[in-house]
Amino acid sequence: MRRVWQVGLTAVAASAALAGGVAAATGHDTGRPATKGGHSEHIVLTGQVGRDLVRVDLGDPVAGPGDLAVFRYDLSTEGKRPTRVGDAYVKCVTQFPPAGSQCEAVSRFPGRGDLTFQGLAPQDLSEDYTIAVTGGTGDFRNVRGELLIHTLSETPFAQRFTLDLVGVR
């Protein structure tokens, strides 16, 4: 059961990263002014962890501190006709309880740039959680913000990402 949660945590972090990238790629703007000529974007995306998942188990076969998970997401808009807007690449390291997993991710949005994320995913993936937007390139080079991650289903593992960005060019 712990191994399932570890994989789920990794997926959650990846989903979060994807959501951030998709939101930025769609170009949705809330119209609120931001500092230094940038603007704010509020974007909602969905993602599902696919077959691109690699786990490295350090120590005993039970999930534990130091175990690593690396995976990829296809990022898409939410709705009846989802549109793929980018990719996300995630790396998570299991921490000591109760921290869950420490994850970092990069989302690539063709034509707009990359977004980077970092934060802690909880042990219980049914809990919503927030991670930080840590930087970006291109349209996102001065961006900051947060990514809220919500698990939609465990099988297949799917999540909703709500991204609030400030400073988008």
Side-chain angles (χ1 to χ4, degrees), residues 47-125:
Q48 183 174 322
V49 174
R51 298 177 205 184
D52 298 326
L53 171 64
V54 174
R55 290 177 286 197
V56 176
D57 189 7
L58 299 178
D60 61 51
V62 177
D67 288 355
L68 177 69
V70 179
F71 52 99
R72 185 182 72 81
Y73 281 95
D74 290 333
L75 298 175
S76 298
T77 58
E78 186 177 50
K80 291 181 180 181
R81 294 183 169 200
T83 301
R84 186 169 179 268
V85 295
D87 298 295
Y89 306 90
V90 182
K91 175 180 74 172
C92 294
V93 177
T94 303
Q95 295 297 323
F96 291 94
S101 293
Q102 181 177 344
C103 302
E104 57 185 51
V106 176
S107 292
R108 174 152 290 165
F109 301 96
R112 292 206 64 199
D114 297 344
L115 277 172
T116 59
F117 307 87
Q118 186 170 7
L120 287 173
Q123 286 181 329
D124 181 357
L125 293 180

Side-chain angles (χ1 to χ4, degrees), residues 29-41 139-145 165-169:
D29 184 2
T30 62
R32 296 182 303 228
T35 60
K36 298 186 181 182
H39 65 274
S40 298
E41 290 188 24
D139 290 351
F140 311 114
R141 71 175 174 225
N142 292 316
V143 76
R144 62 189 184 283
L165 300 174
V166 177
V168 179
R169 294 192 174 271

